[in-house]
Amino acid sequence: MHEPEFVAVVREKIVVSDGVVALVLGHADGTPLPSWRPGAHIDLVLGDGLVRQYSLCGDPADASAYRLGVLREPAGRGGSAYVHDTLSPGDRILVRGPRNHFELEDAPSYLFVAGGIGVTPLLPMIAEVDAGGARWRLLYGGRTRPSMAFLDVLDRYGDRVLVRPQDRHGLLDLKGFLEEATRDTLVYGCGPEPLLAALEDACGARDMLRVERFAPKESIHDDRDGMFEVVLAQSGLTLTVGPGQTVLECVEAAGIPVLSSCQEGTCGTCETDVLEGTPDHRDSLLTEDERAEGTTMMICVSRCLGERLVLDL
């Protein structure tokens, strides 16, 4: 999969709440940045080969700057610590993308639900739907009010934004909030997995919910995994994927370069077209309809339901 890759320079680094910094990036050579739409994220290639995804939360009409919010995660794998402790204004950094698996769809009415740093992809969505005159509300939760980023940005929207820090209000009242939904309402949610699972439960079978995950929805490994064959149509290779091996690992071991990032089926970097065979989808990105079509898969986690896959690699 081909996508933009370029060197950016850190123009600003600002503390926006307890544990969250905002980065403003510009193209290192001063040219316009690749265009994007609300819901998009980019990869930052950090020190020691770390690659991490961060949602764009600025203005899509501003081709001179990307704005990101980065939460320090003490239990993380080092990406957020690098951004908080090492990255400084003036530093150059490799950027891949943007990429969008959380696209804003047209609707007359929206309900947005954010948990913590999950507010970032929702900010440009809210700006767009507000400018377009759609009905909308945001339910925004966090541990404490000082930990909740970009409240200053949201202040302009008045009572359409419900700020509910957990230390004062407890868990978010999702069912009460969703009572505002009508037949033509779309619900967009982003945040930690327990919140998204509760949101899915509250929405039930209604096809109104769109979510973006930071972590896998479910286990991506199964003790019953067996071997299967992968044919790489472009490269003319036939490979065997072992029980403890991913398709991505097998392809890379054969010397075929593939862009990848999260290794968890959450970012979409390694999405690959399927020409033949039935994927065993284990990602947290594709919709049920896209899974049923079986024309694409995330090769970092997904496998094969049969004995053979033909991929466009």
Side-chain angles (χ1 to χ4, degrees):
M1 185 174 69
H2 300 286
E3 60 184 19
E5 180 176 290
F6 59 94
V7 176
V9 63
V10 180
R11 290 184 178 170
E12 297 180 54
K13 179 180 175 182
I14 309 162
V15 176
V16 291
S17 71
D18 289 351
V20 178
V21 295
L23 295 180
V24 178
L25 308 178
H27 206 299
D29 65 9
T31 58
L33 293 163
S35 62
W36 61 282
R37 299 279 301 127
H41 66 264
I42 58 173
D43 292 346
L44 297 187
V45 183
L46 305 170
D48 296 325
L50 292 171
V51 181
R52 296 293 180 264
Q53 299 77 45
Y54 298 105
S55 297
L56 294 171
C57 59
D59 180 2
D62 181 4
S64 69
Y66 284 165
R67 183 176 171 88
L68 318 170
V70 181
L71 170 69
R72 179 189 287 277
E73 300 185 70
R77 295 173 292 172
S80 68
Y82 183 91
V83 170
H84 277 254
D85 300 335
T86 303
L87 205 60
S88 301
D91 286 351
R92 294 182 173 231
I93 188 169
L94 186 63
V95 175
R96 294 176 184 154
R99 189 181 311 111
N100 200 338
H101 289 275
F102 192 42
E103 296 181 359
L104 180 65
E105 301 173 30
D106 289 334
S109 172
Y110 299 87
L111 292 175
F112 298 99
V113 179
I117 197 63
V119 74
T120 51
L122 304 184
L123 294 175
M125 292 186 180
I126 288 169
E128 180 166 310
V129 302
D130 186 71
R135 302 185 308 276
W136 68 272
R137 296 257 277 170
L138 167 67
L139 179 61
Y140 181 15
R143 292 180 293 101
T144 64
R145 189 178 180 92
S147 74
M148 299 170 70
F150 303 115
L151 290 177
D152 57 332
V153 176
L154 294 167
D155 278 346
R156 73 187 71 168
Y157 299 119
D159 60 6
R160 280 173 292 184
V161 176
L162 304 176
V163 178
R164 296 291 184 265
Q166 188 173 351
D167 63 339
R168 295 186 188 179
H169 298 273
L171 297 177
L172 295 179
D173 179 13
L174 297 177
K175 290 188 177 180
F177 184 62
L178 292 174
E179 288 177 357
E180 302 180 25
T182 60
R183 269 187 178 180
D184 54 13
T185 299
L186 286 180
V187 180
Y188 279 80
C190 187
E193 182 55 33
L195 171 63
L196 299 185
L199 189 55
E200 288 175 331
D201 182 63
C203 286
R206 292 176 289 179
D207 184 26
M208 62 167 59
L209 180 61
R210 311 289 186 268
V211 301
E212 181 166 62
R213 288 183 150 84
F214 300 141
K217 180 179 179 179
E218 55 197 25
S219 175
I220 55 180
H221 302 292
D222 191 320
D223 291 339
R224 297 167 294 178
D225 288 341
M227 295 189 298
F228 59 95
E229 192 175 83
V230 171
V231 179
L232 308 186
Q234 292 185 36
S235 306
L237 297 177
T238 298
L239 310 174
T240 299
V241 180
Q245 187 181 37
T246 68
V247 176
L248 176 64
E249 289 169 344
C250 184
V251 170
E252 289 183 330
I256 307 301
V258 180
L259 280 180
S260 65
S261 178
C262 72
Q263 313 282 311
E264 295 180 329
T266 58
C267 75
T269 307
C270 69
E271 185 171 6
T272 301
D273 288 340
V274 178
L275 305 180
E276 293 180 33
T278 305
D280 176 5
H281 294 292
R282 300 185 185 181
D283 64 275
S284 299
L285 282 168
L286 296 177
T287 66
E288 290 305 315
D289 286 345
E290 288 169 335
R291 290 184 173 211
E293 288 174 4
T295 57
T296 186
M297 66 185 287
M298 309 303 162
I299 63 172
C300 67
V301 292
S302 297
R303 300 181 68 81
C304 180
L305 287 176
E307 297 180 353
R308 182 175 180 267
L309 286 172
V310 181
L311 303 180
D312 190 17
L313 288 173

